[in-house]
Amino acid sequence: MTDGTASRYPGYNVLSKRDGPSWDEVTRQVIDRRLNVPREPRFLDPERFRTLKAVCGRILPQPPERPDVPLAAHVDAKLFDNALDGYRHADLPPLREAWLRGLAALDAEAHAAHGRAFADLAYRQQDTLLRRCEAGELSHPAWDGMPPASFFSQRVLADIVAAYYAHPSAWSEIGYGGPASPRGYVRMGANRRDPWEASEARPGRERTALKENRRVR
Amino acid sequence: MYADEPMRPRTMQGRAPDVFTRGGWIPMQLRSDGEEVDFVVIGTGAGGGPLTARLAEKGFSVVAFDAGPYFRPLEEFASDEASQSKLFWTDERIVDGANPLKMGANNSGKAVGGSTVHFAMVSLRFRPEWFRSRTLLGYGADWPLDWREMWTYYAQAEQDLSISGPLSYPWGPKRPRYPYRAHEVNAAGLLLAKGAEAMGYRWSPTPLATVSAPRGNSPPCVYRGFCRVGCSTNAKQSQLVTYIPRAVRAGAEIRDLAMVGRIEVDATGRATGVHYHRDGVWRFQRARNVVVAGYAIETPRLLLNSATDRFPDGLANSSGLVGRYLMTQSNQAVWGEMEEEVRWNKGPPSLALTEHWNYDDRKDFFGGYCWMGQGPLPIEWSSVLTGARGLWGEALRRQMENYNHQIGLKMVGEMLPHLDNRVTLSEEHDQYGLPIPRITYSWTDNDKALIDHGLAQMRTSLELVGARNIFLQKDDTNHLAGTARMGFSRETSVVDADCRSWDIPNLFVCDGSVFPTTGGVNPHLTITAIALRTADRIEALAKRGEL
Ligand SMILES: Cc1cc2nc3c(=O)[nH]c(=O)nc-3n(C[C@H](O)[C@H](O)[C@H](O)COP(=O)(O)OP(=O)(O)OC[C@H]3O[C@@H](n4cnc5c(N)ncnc54)[C@H](O)[C@@H]3O)c2cc1C
Ligand code: SF4
């Protein structure tokens, strides 16, 4: 739930439609389970999970005014389920192995450069390490042949960002309508908002947007 | 059923799910493994679906296998990108080459109905010249099919799938009216139209396989925009709600969650049946004829995995071409932001298109392309921003907040067939113990020239409608073809015009793998038209005692 006039879609919460005609039973089940993802890791050990949490915090820093989407827990769930994507680049090991090795390597890089675990670095230092990973500039033996740049684009970015934009909090943030079955949409033209869509707080219409968003069902 | 609960086969008791009623069933004829059925069809997608239905309607006994589940859309298709990945073929595949393909969500389904369960429904005909592109246009390979004959099968496919389209289509030879009226074009599509008109090009509402008015048990499309992760209302005319129920009614058996691992061939060099894995055990189904319809990765993989002493390089492979000439289509895009709210996720993603560059030959490269409006859902859109722009952190979150103002144009472009773009077997094995495929892909110089041309054109179109912060997505590809190409001789192709393999007379391939070239439009309607033709040809061959 977003609130206050700072947000682009003040007061809009996609979950207010949960019991309305835009959500069917299977969708409610799926989203309920997502909202109740186990917070404790089931695949990663506590140390790697701590590293992962820190990485998630930099890839998608979250706004302070609402509970965080537990991104690390979602990535861990993907690893626990071994939910494959259907392909992998020849230079990457399989899903689980890539994450295990990559998180250990980021930590090893942090120790080598700063004498501390990745999770204990300042945000600026974490960002620098991640940028060097992205650019393929890291070379600690802990990578063991896995190209850091591929790990960054194919695993870090892909898995964390997908987990975030699968979450209702992210949908509310971007003004996305969310689930839409059986009720779909009616007004198809530009600047035409169905009453069950998010209303945008353009300058001067913040209060109208807030009012309209509170009525979304 | 929860999204991540493992599924068990549903069609073991002489009934199949009725996709149109909650919890309903329709009766289905069962065949025993020991019965030598007329046809085994492997895969129930755009090729396997219509072929199974038509063969059964002609009186043949048919068992169709699909490695994926038999879903009930009304109860099981959530309005949700992430959980609906259950529709995709997510078994491991290794990709390499200079331009590795993205598989999974991008390229193939694993469900009764195949990739049509989650496809975007764009239903286009080839330009007639593409069937003879070598002779008439100077590139690729000629097809052993005549475009006029294909025109009649396209018309049949359009009727069977109740395509909704414009009163008159701006490009190509005359065609009959589309059976259903065109859909209302959304804001994203109207911006495509405005851009095309500003460039002096024609545009059209896209012919789509989702109904604009009721059809049987299908209600009209409600513009929910989740088409690419499965249609929960059954408006979409996928194989699952069209040819598959027809097939069952006509006496075909559909075996869900049944993965075929090997085609058996006897000492005389004829196929005798298939080994398949279902409900935890390997079984063998006897058959007089075998049709492979697993799409351009699984079809060659199965043929290669079925190698014997007599056919050490795999079945139907005396030409050495099984797995070769793999083609994808260039699917690059140009994206931008509008002042107004576009809300591009409302409605099917591609409601308008222009085929201008498929029919205008004033270009300095071979092949053509079209482009279409876009409406990606949030996860897909975020992957464009991370992939094409490398955004993350605050920058990504801020850009995502513009979601309702984004627009985009995406091309579907012809990539040329190349011998070295191919599917081979890797050293790794999957959950069935079968070697997994390795997919090698590199763009040719012609492909790159076509992509550059398309990106520049689409950028101009976005500029002309006043889009800001325009950026190019240079790396995307989509759709597959090739790997068991049809042709005129056993030396230069895997199957003949009837989709029959040159080497093994009772082994057919009937899916996107048979394309010698891939054209500049989405492939499913052509695959379905070929399947309808193949069924007629098989009937004719059977009548002459040549099967
Ligand atoms: C996201 C997406 C959007 C698309 N949008 C469009 C569009 O708008 N318009 C268009 O024309 N095309 C579109 N396509 C492409 C189109 O869906 C495919 O080209 C078409 O479905 C391919 O038909 P096919 O019969 O060759 O294979 P599929 O439809 O993929 O069917 C193959 C089936 O075979 C099964 N199978 C494979 N191997 C085995 C085995 N060994 N044993 C048992 N079963 C097996 C699979 O489970 C699958 O169900 C899209 C594709 C995707 C992925
Ligand atoms: S937009 Fe139409 S075709 Fe697409 S999923 Fe919704 S109802 Fe089905």
Side-chain angles (χ1 to χ4, degrees):
Chain A
M1 170 106 181
T2 52
D3 214 349
T5 42
S7 144
R8 187 98 170 246
Y9 297 95
Y12 174 64
N13 184 353
V14 93
L15 291 174
S16 69
K17 294 198 260 186
R18 184 184 181 281
D19 298 311
S22 285
W23 290 48
D24 54 16
E25 186 50 35
V26 58
T27 305
R28 278 190 287 270
Q29 282 177 14
V30 162
I31 304 302
D32 286 355
R33 281 159 65 88
R34 188 163 307 148
L35 295 175
N36 290 315
V37 67
R39 302 301 161 110
E40 294 307 313
R42 288 168 294 164
F43 178 76
L44 293 172
D45 62 43
E47 203 184 331
R48 293 222 171 93
F49 193 62
R50 204 167 79 91
T51 313
L52 174 60
K53 271 181 146 164
V55 173
C56 291
R58 301 319 301 153
I59 297 300
L60 275 164
Q62 302 195 45
E65 64 272 9
R66 60 151 169 84
D68 277 359
V69 176
L71 293 172
H74 284 290
V75 174
D76 183 76
K78 177 174 170 124
L79 295 172
F80 182 75
D81 295 337
N82 199 23
L84 303 181
D85 302 323
Y87 68 103
R88 71 170 209 270
H89 286 237
D91 61 5
L92 280 181
L95 173 71
R96 288 175 161 178
E97 169 61 18
W99 269 110
L100 287 175
R101 209 192 298 174
L103 290 171
L106 280 176
D107 240 359
E109 297 281 2
H111 277 289
H114 307 286
R116 271 179 299 157
F118 183 88
D120 296 326
L121 302 183
Y123 288 166
R124 222 166 25 84
Q125 294 170 319
Q126 291 176 339
D127 283 350
T128 305
L129 260 183
L130 289 171
R131 294 237 173 262
R132 297 188 59 207
C133 181
E134 179 178 30
E137 292 167 6
L138 301 177
S139 55
H140 194 282
W143 292 101
D144 195 15
M146 177 169 78
S150 301
F151 172 66
F152 188 85
S153 64
Q154 312 292 318
R155 293 270 66 99
V156 174
L157 272 191
D159 293 342
I160 296 173
V161 173
Y164 188 68
Y165 289 103
H167 198 280
S169 296
W171 300 341
S172 299
E173 179 175 89
I174 66 171
Y176 167 61
S181 184
R183 179 178 60 186
Y185 297 106
V186 177
R187 294 162 184 81
M188 302 279 277
N191 289 325
R192 297 294 311 279
R193 165 184 168 268
D194 283 322
W196 53 94
E197 288 184 275
S199 175
E200 184 174 339
R202 300 216 169 195
R205 65 183 306 282
E206 291 88 349
R207 298 179 70 85
T208 320
L210 184 62
K211 217 164 74 197
E212 288 180 339
N213 283 329
R214 292 228 159 111
R215 272 197 236 117
V216 167
R217 287 289 174 275
Chain B
M1 193 210 70
Y2 285 123
D4 52 3
E5 267 175 26
M7 291 188 68
R8 296 271 318 278
R10 287 181 167 164
T11 65
M12 307 236 285
Q13 275 122 30
R15 57 184 196 174
D18 176 2
V19 291
F20 295 109
T21 59
R22 291 167 187 273
W25 297 94
I26 51 174
M28 186 186 79
Q29 192 167 341
L30 285 186
R31 311 271 174 183
S32 69
D33 284 334
E35 177 184 347
E36 189 181 43
V37 294
D38 293 330
F39 283 90
V40 150
V41 178
I42 304 154
T44 59
L51 186 71
T52 301
R54 293 300 293 138
L55 289 177
E57 286 168 355
K58 291 171 189 296
F60 293 105
S61 57
V62 191
V63 176
F65 292 82
D66 208 290
Y70 203 133
F71 283 114
R72 295 174 172 279
L74 298 176
E75 293 141 89
E76 292 173 342
F77 286 1
S79 271
D80 182 59
E81 271 183 288
S83 63
Q84 287 297 112
S85 61
K86 66 184 180 186
L87 301 181
F88 305 137
W89 190 287
T90 52
D91 299 354
E92 195 83 303
R93 289 159 166 172
I94 295 173
V95 296
D96 65 6
N99 306 93
L101 300 186
K102 293 192 188 117
M103 302 300 300
N106 234 30
N107 266 323
S108 45
K110 187 181 193 179
V112 171
S115 305
T116 70
V117 177
H118 61 80
F119 77 160
M121 315 175 300
V122 174
S123 302
L124 302 174
R125 299 183 179 199
F126 265 35
R127 175 180 165 180
E129 286 87 339
W130 292 341
F131 292 104
R132 293 183 67 204
S133 63
R134 167 62 51 198
T135 307
L136 298 177
L137 304 168
Y139 68 90
D142 287 355
W143 294 49
L145 300 177
D146 184 277
W147 78 268
R148 280 163 299 236
E149 193 188 9
M150 286 298 286
W151 234 238
T152 65
Y153 286 108
Y154 277 131
Q156 188 181 337
E158 285 163 354
Q159 285 296 330
D160 289 352
L161 299 172
S162 308
I163 304 298
S164 301
L167 278 181
S168 64
Y169 191 70
W171 303 277
K174 237 178 103 59
R175 60 188 69 183
R177 282 260 176 92
Y178 286 103
Y180 280 66
R181 71 164 169 79
H183 288 277
E184 180 182 349
V185 177
N186 62 7
L190 291 175
L191 285 162
L192 177 147
K194 194 172 160 192
E197 281 172 11
M199 294 173 82
Y201 303 160
R202 285 171 298 180
W203 67 278
S204 172
T206 309
L208 290 176
T210 177
V211 284
S212 52
R215 180 225 193 184
N217 292 316
S218 287
C221 172
V222 292
Y223 305 126
R224 26 191 308 277
F226 281 86
C227 324
R228 292 186 49 173
V229 292
C231 177
S232 61
T233 69
N234 287 330
K236 176 197 271 198
Q237 300 297 290
S238 71
Q239 297 295 329
L240 180 59
V241 307
T242 55
Y243 286 108
I244 297 295
R246 260 175 75 174
V248 172
R249 270 200 307 278
E253 179 186 340
I254 310 292
R255 278 189 207 156
D256 56 343
L257 291 168
M259 172 73 180
V260 175
R262 184 180 170 81
I263 299 164
E264 191 66 40
V265 178
D266 70 11
T268 68
R270 285 182 68 89
T272 56
V274 296
H275 299 272
Y276 67 100
H277 187 270
R278 195 184 197 201
D279 215 20
V281 282
W282 282 101
R283 299 171 170 280
F284 181 71
Q285 173 69 52
R286 296 180 62 211
R288 287 192 193 89
N289 299 279
V290 172
V291 185
V292 191
Y295 209 11
I297 308 301
E298 294 307 312
T299 286
R301 177 187 179 210
L302 178 59
L303 294 174
L304 296 174
N305 270 337
S306 301
T308 63
D309 289 346
R310 184 183 171 131
F311 300 110
D313 301 323
L315 303 185
N317 198 18
S318 65
S319 62
L321 295 178
V322 168
R324 292 202 181 258
Y325 293 117
L326 172 67
M327 289 166 284
T328 185
Q329 290 184 305
S330 33
N331 205 210
Q332 281 68 15
V334 180
W335 309 93
E337 283 162 45
M338 299 302 295
E339 179 58 29
E340 63 259 40
E341 290 177 15
V342 178
R343 298 186 189 264
W344 60 359
N345 60 299
K346 293 203 266 188
S350 300
L351 282 161
L353 89 164
T354 176
E355 274 207 64
H356 178 85
W357 288 107
N358 274 334
Y359 288 84
D360 186 331
D361 289 327
R362 290 167 296 171
K363 308 172 272 219
D364 53 6
F365 54 87
F366 292 128
Y369 64 90
C370 58
W371 72 67
M372 291 168 205
Q374 290 298 301
L377 299 182
I379 297 179
E380 190 189 347
W381 175 234
S382 69
S383 78
V384 172
L385 293 176
T386 56
R389 290 184 58 193
L391 293 185
W392 51 277
E394 278 296 327
L396 174 63
R397 277 192 46 228
R398 272 200 308 279
Q399 186 60 48
M400 283 298 290
E401 283 182 356
N402 277 331
Y403 182 76
N404 288 337
H405 292 266
Q406 299 289 166
I407 57 164
L409 302 173
K410 211 169 223 283
M411 66 196 290
V412 171
E414 176 159 22
M415 286 199 155
L416 296 193
H418 194 285
L419 195 66
D420 295 334
N421 288 332
R422 63 187 297 206
V423 177
T424 51
L425 300 176
S426 77
E427 313 277 89
E428 286 176 45
H429 291 72
D430 67 6
Q431 68 270 37
Y432 312 103
L434 302 167
I436 69 171
R438 172 181 289 270
I439 304 165
T440 305
Y441 211 93
S442 306
W443 301 347
T444 64
D445 287 342
N446 190 82
D447 298 335
K448 293 176 193 166
L450 179 142
I451 289 167
D452 287 345
H453 191 268
L455 285 170
Q457 288 280 310
M458 293 188 289
R459 170 188 271 267
T460 303
S461 179
L462 284 198
E463 282 167 357
L464 288 170
V465 299
R468 293 163 309 173
N469 296 331
I470 294 174
F471 71 94
L472 312 182
Q473 180 190 4
K474 295 184 177 167
D475 71 341
D476 208 15
T477 58
N478 201 344
H479 310 142
L480 302 167
T483 71
R485 54 160 44 182
M486 62 163 62
F488 298 90
S489 78
R490 60 171 62 245
E491 290 77 33
T492 58
S493 58
V494 177
V495 298
D496 66 15
D498 299 338
C499 292
R500 184 183 206 162
S501 75
W502 293 106
D503 299 345
I504 300 177
N506 66 339
L507 177 66
F508 295 75
V509 177
C510 187
D511 61 15
S513 331
V514 303
F515 284 29
T517 56
T518 188
V521 296
N522 320 45
H524 95 94
L525 201 70
T526 303
I527 299 172
T528 292
I530 290 171
L532 295 173
R533 178 183 184 277
T534 302
D536 285 352
R537 291 294 306 148
I538 284 174
E539 182 182 40
L541 290 170
K543 280 196 179 128
R544 293 207 305 257
E546 290 172 17
L547 206 55

